Amino acid sequence: MPRRTMIEAIRDAMDVSMARDERVIVFGEDVGFFGGVFRCTQGLQAKYGKGRCFDAPISESGIVGAAIGMAAYGLKPCVEVQFADYVYPAYDQIVSEAARLRYRSNGDFTCPIVVRMPTGGGIFGGQTHSQSPEALFTHVSGLKVVVPSNPHDAKGLLIAAIEDPDPVIFLEPKRLYNGPFDGHHERPVTPWSKHQLGEVADGHYTVPLGKAVIRRPGAAVTVLAYGTMVYVAQAAAEETGIDAEIIDLRTLLPLDLETIVASVNKTGRCVVVHEATLTSGFGAELSALVQENCFYHLEAPVARVTGWDTPYPHAQEWDYFPGPARLGRALIETMEA
Amino acid sequence: MADAGMLRFHVPEPEVRPGGTPDFSNVSIPKAGSVPRPKIDVDPRDIRDLAFSIIRVLNRAGEAVGPWAGLLSDDELLEGLRHMMTLRSFDARMQMAQRQGKTSFYMQHLGEEAVSCAFRKALSRGDMNFPTYRQAGLLIADGYPMVTMMNQIYSNEADPLKGRQLPIMYSSKEHGFFSISGNLATQYIQAVGWAMASAISNDSKIAAAWIGDGSTAESDFHSALVFASTYKAPVVLNVVNNQWAISTFQGIARGGSGTFAARGLGFGIPSLRVDGNDYLAVHAVAKWAAERARSNLGPTLVEYVTYRVGAHSSSDDPSAYRPKAESDAWPLGDPIVRLKNHLIQRGVWSDERHAQAEAEILDTVISAQREAERHGTLHAGGKPSARDMFEGVYAEMPPHLRRQRQQAGV
């Protein structure tokens, strides 16, 4: 099976979708001729023409707002916001419009759009190239929120997102674009070509939205992770020798609660990990759900390992980023609690 | 300069406040028929002055004059009059229903009836409006059932939106009326996107965007103009300048730009200003802009100069911020009276027939209201099911919503 980077897998997902359905339209800043600042749309304009893949003005609310209008017409826009850190000007369009269009019109109009955006830190991106704003979207009824962690899933989830009848926020951990990253910044990064999950089938396939996957089966403690943190969790389990069951959530909304509950009821312990800031982060929802659903099986408090409640700093990158050492300590504490 | 060291902060104020004498002497009104009608493929740079003038057809004597006149037959004009009268009557009944506690909220169109009623007749079936909450004339003029509108206003068991939306936030794809959102200006850029989609699909349909004077200050107004200009989208960008954004006079949003139409000039968009109380002028300009869009010549911005005669909404009291009789002093008059006088002047209408039509329309509205009320009002009678609350958030109900619906016991 061919191996692809996450970038290539994402591009392939759009390519496959555009070839299958002429209603699929791709646009955003630098997305057209240039092929995107991360190369995710390279070649699409040449292959499908300027009517299907084109450059947009630097206006996030314009990009998402226009996409909503196109979706109301009957197209399926898959648009890009260059960095998740720059989605805020489009927040009104996403929250007030895309998410509610089906509900408020009782299905008279619908909004099958995908908003792709590179997310996450670990790349010395500083305050505005590192944020993880997923909790701002998981709080919004009517949206679906997806965070892939590898090329295989990225392609299958993106095709599923494009085919989904509802608006999907598709967060791409840019730290994982070229290879998996476990937080060991002192070591060279392995490219996806050397990783099994870099195997990406040609043609059409989907990974269903709303389904988590167990990346590492274990009996001692459940780790709830997504995006880059999946690899940090694997490193932490290995380095502490703790038999952690690592769940890659893949879709945050709707959430695969069944897989989570089954795992925590088995292990009796749970650690939640994400890059985003702690307070009111998605980890709070996960922690509450585990507590509500697994209370009588829990042998320790649910722990959260996250970014600190500060803006994402530049020089202090590795003091901020929740790496394997910090997660490892939480695993040990949870086992000793 | 002696005072160069001290800056002074500027906040625009309307000419007159409550207790003062209404004064529109500063509003320059060109004579009817005096503004030329350019070809639809005109270079926007050649008609810059149209953004600072007012296109008018009906003169003081009720005659239709000038190059924008003569597009509508007597029958079409009589139909237009009926639409405006129906909207006014509908408004009055629904405003009263709100006062009687049959619904929580209402917003009238008083004085602005010509804008949406005449515009609708310039569009074709399949075109899509992206209206604000003050263009119900688009529905009335397209024959959307009044009973359905009332069902929505009453949030009753027959409400097409299942009680999920505030009154008057209608939605009808079939009638080219995009779902209304409470968030201002959001639909302006969506209209441009819809128009882009029509062009991408090599379709022949066009879109119409709607916004009020106050909401032009929202950033989505700006993004809509950028996108419309960049992609030459087949869209008519309508700005309804009714002078007021709740309590805020238009100068707060307009600033030093002179007119709202002038905003379009910086984007290279042909921009026209029209007498919003002149049914014939509104229709003629709308037709011109629609033809431009349909001929692939790109967007047009149209500012409708009108006056919000009624309160902003059923929750508003305008006497707190503007003179009570200000609407009487409004120099462009009343759109219904002006069209009525024109039809009388043409010899196809009379005061008697007008009075008779008024009574007939009121009967129709009242009987629609009776029918709607048989399906319930907000606090009495049939209502949407609590189950409906959980439906339609997604195409398929996800597990967490199914659990919540169970918890709610519905």
Side-chain angles (χ1 to χ4, degrees):
Chain A
M1 198 179 286
R3 296 211 171 177
R4 291 179 164 94
T5 67
M6 191 127 130
I7 291 166
E8 290 162 344
I10 286 164
R11 185 194 304 150
D12 194 33
M14 286 185 270
D15 191 353
V16 166
S17 301
M18 291 172 90
R20 281 168 64 92
D21 186 347
E22 64 174 15
R23 295 172 303 167
V24 178
I25 303 292
V26 170
F27 65 99
E29 295 157 21
D30 304 296
V31 160
F33 181 82
F34 179 58
V37 294
F38 290 105
R39 320 311 301 150
C40 287
T41 55
Q42 192 170 28
L44 296 180
Q45 185 175 81
K47 186 167 175 185
Y48 296 101
K50 287 200 284 186
R52 302 282 307 280
C53 176
F54 54 91
D55 291 315
I58 303 177
S59 168
E60 287 77 13
S61 76
I63 291 167
V64 176
I68 294 167
M70 289 178 176
Y73 175 89
L75 298 185
K76 292 180 80 73
C78 176
V79 300
E80 178 179 304
V81 170
Q82 204 158 74
F83 288 88
D85 314 61
Y86 301 134
V87 72
Y88 310 120
Y91 199 57
D92 189 27
Q93 287 289 345
I94 293 171
V95 175
S96 311
E97 303 294 318
R100 298 206 209 128
L101 188 54
R102 177 188 295 279
Y103 189 73
R104 76 169 196 236
S105 72
N106 191 28
D108 198 20
F109 296 93
T110 61
C111 191
I113 67 169
V114 178
V115 186
R116 291 179 42 240
M117 56 189 105
T119 187
I123 55 147
F124 283 95
Q127 293 187 24
T128 56
H129 299 78
S130 306
Q131 295 166 32
S132 299
E134 61 271 17
L136 296 177
F137 300 109
T138 54
H139 192 55
V140 180
S141 49
L143 295 179
K144 293 183 177 177
V145 181
V146 176
V147 191
S149 69
N150 60 74
H152 169 269
D153 283 3
K155 178 175 171 182
L157 287 166
L158 183 52
I159 293 176
I162 290 170
E163 292 174 359
D164 196 272
D166 292 308
V168 181
I169 304 298
F170 197 85
L171 293 151
E172 302 167 1
K174 57 189 162 304
R175 178 68 244 200
L176 302 179
Y177 268 159
N178 290 303
F181 178 69
D182 62 8
H184 281 293
H185 52 92
E186 69 285 1
R187 298 180 196 156
V189 173
T190 319
W192 282 116
S193 59
K194 301 219 167 79
H195 197 282
Q196 206 196 328
L197 288 168
E199 285 190 352
V200 176
D202 288 329
H204 180 270
Y205 71 88
T206 59
V207 171
L209 305 187
K211 291 276 176 255
V213 64
I214 294 170
R215 291 288 170 212
R216 182 194 187 282
V221 54
T222 299
V223 179
L224 302 181
Y226 51 92
T228 310
M229 289 301 121
V230 170
Y231 305 97
V232 171
Q234 283 171 344
E238 216 170 282
E239 287 157 26
T240 56
I242 291 170
D243 186 21
E245 178 147 290
I246 299 167
I247 299 180
D248 179 352
L249 298 174
R250 299 198 290 199
T251 302
L252 308 188
L253 182 66
L255 185 69
D256 185 355
L257 188 61
E258 220 173 303
T259 300
I260 295 170
V261 170
S263 175
V264 177
N265 282 350
K266 180 181 76 177
T267 62
R269 290 179 162 83
C270 181
V271 176
V272 176
V273 56
H274 59 58
E275 288 183 61
T277 50
L278 176 71
T279 302
S280 301
F282 190 61
E285 180 64 26
L286 290 170
S287 175
L289 284 169
V290 168
Q291 184 273 134
E292 285 164 17
N293 289 277
C294 311
F295 186 77
Y296 296 106
H297 292 83
L298 283 174
E299 291 168 39
V302 178
R304 284 182 287 164
V305 178
T306 70
W308 307 117
D309 279 341
T310 70
Y312 205 111
H314 185 243
Q316 302 89 337
E317 176 81 85
W318 305 118
D319 299 307
Y320 184 91
F321 185 90
R326 183 133 65 92
L327 180 55
R329 283 197 296 279
L331 290 177
I332 292 165
E333 279 166 24
T334 300
M335 291 312 297
E336 289 171 351
Chain B
M1 292 200 19
D3 61 351
M6 193 182 285
L7 296 168
R8 283 164 313 211
F9 181 54
H10 173 67
V11 180
E13 270 293 322
E15 298 281 324
V16 191
R17 286 293 194 185
T21 308
D23 178 16
F24 288 106
S25 57
N26 61 331
V27 182
S28 149
I29 314 271
K31 277 176 81 167
S34 65
V35 179
R37 184 176 192 275
K39 290 193 167 135
I40 56 167
D41 59 353
V42 67
D43 185 328
R45 286 170 297 188
D46 295 339
I47 55 163
R48 291 178 65 87
D49 53 337
L50 264 60
F52 299 94
S53 189
I54 302 179
I55 294 165
R56 306 177 64 231
V57 171
L58 294 175
N59 67 14
R60 278 167 196 274
E63 296 156 337
V65 295
W68 296 88
L71 292 179
L72 291 164
S73 67
D74 286 341
D75 282 348
E76 287 169 323
L77 289 172
L78 286 165
E79 190 194 22
L81 181 67
R82 182 166 285 269
H83 291 152
M84 292 199 288
M85 291 169 74
T86 304
L87 178 56
R88 186 166 293 184
S89 182
F90 182 91
D91 270 349
R93 294 297 300 184
M94 290 297 101
Q95 173 79 8
M96 203 189 303
Q98 190 277 336
R99 293 292 186 244
Q100 293 166 337
K102 292 175 179 171
T103 187
S104 62
F105 183 72
Y106 193 69
M107 296 178 105
Q108 297 190 84
H109 304 75
L110 201 57
E112 300 177 40
E113 292 89 348
V115 177
S116 51
C117 288
F119 187 89
R120 175 68 247 191
K121 302 313 279 184
L123 291 188
S124 304
R125 186 136 294 276
D127 295 340
M128 185 63 71
N129 283 286
F130 287 73
T132 77
Y133 46 67
R134 225 187 291 279
Q135 275 87 44
L138 296 170
L139 289 173
I140 298 274
D142 200 52
Y144 187 75
M146 269 191 286
V147 179
T148 314
M149 293 169 78
M150 289 168 174
N151 289 336
Q152 196 281 326
I153 290 164
Y154 288 143
S155 286
N156 63 21
E157 65 188 11
D159 174 3
L161 307 182
K162 303 281 183 194
R164 294 175 192 149
Q165 265 281 44
L166 266 181
I168 73 162
M169 307 260 178
Y170 316 105
S171 173
S172 175
K173 191 178 201 169
E174 196 195 335
H175 287 267
F177 193 95
F178 185 71
S179 156
I180 296 181
S181 168
N183 298 69
L184 298 176
T186 50
Q187 77 288 347
Y188 219 60
I189 175 69
Q190 292 162 6
V192 177
W194 196 99
M196 288 165 67
S198 183
I200 286 168
S201 310
N202 304 124
D203 202 343
S204 59
K205 302 186 188 94
I206 64 167
W210 292 89
I211 204 165
D213 45 284
S215 301
T216 60
E218 292 280 4
S219 57
D220 280 335
F221 176 70
H222 184 270
S223 44
L225 265 57
V226 174
F227 276 65
S229 165
T230 298
Y231 301 110
K232 291 193 184 299
V235 60
V236 183
L237 300 158
N238 296 310
V239 178
V240 183
N241 176 8
N242 68 14
Q243 316 297 318
W244 291 97
I246 306 186
S247 74
T248 309
F249 94 114
Q250 52 136 334
I252 293 286
R254 194 196 66 233
S257 71
T259 71
F260 291 98
R263 296 272 194 232
L265 298 179
F267 294 86
I269 298 174
S271 304
L272 282 60
R273 219 160 163 252
V274 58
D275 178 346
N277 291 10
D278 180 338
Y279 186 94
L280 287 82
V282 168
H283 178 267
V285 169
K287 195 97 189 151
W288 188 88
E291 264 175 48
R292 259 182 57 77
R294 227 179 286 285
S295 310
N296 221 33
L297 293 164
T300 306
L301 189 143
V302 182
E303 175 185 345
Y304 303 86
V305 183
T306 183
Y307 185 87
R308 194 196 79 210
V309 176
H312 165 70
S313 73
S314 57
S315 309
D316 175 49
D317 172 17
S319 70
Y321 50 80
R322 68 184 190 188
K324 270 194 170 123
E326 194 177 77
S327 62
D328 298 337
W330 176 242
L332 296 176
D334 179 298
I336 293 180
V337 173
R338 285 176 65 193
L339 183 55
K340 173 193 162 195
N341 290 343
H342 173 58
L343 289 165
I344 292 173
Q345 186 270 330
R346 286 174 82 89
V348 295
W349 200 239
S350 65
D351 280 317
E352 296 70 38
R353 289 173 74 178
H354 193 83
Q356 195 190 340
E358 229 164 22
E360 279 168 19
I361 287 167
L362 181 61
D363 274 354
T364 315
V365 174
I366 288 174
S367 80
Q369 191 180 5
R370 280 208 195 96
E371 192 184 334
E373 290 182 8
R374 276 202 289 277
H375 294 289
T377 58
L378 181 61
H379 301 295
K383 55 175 68 173
S385 126
R387 281 177 74 87
D388 286 328
M389 181 167 70
F390 295 96
E391 301 281 347
V393 182
Y394 299 91
E396 244 180 85
M397 192 177 293
H400 69 283
L401 277 178
R402 282 206 301 273
R403 283 193 295 274
Q404 289 172 30
R405 192 179 61 183
Q406 261 175 349
Q407 277 172 16
V410 294

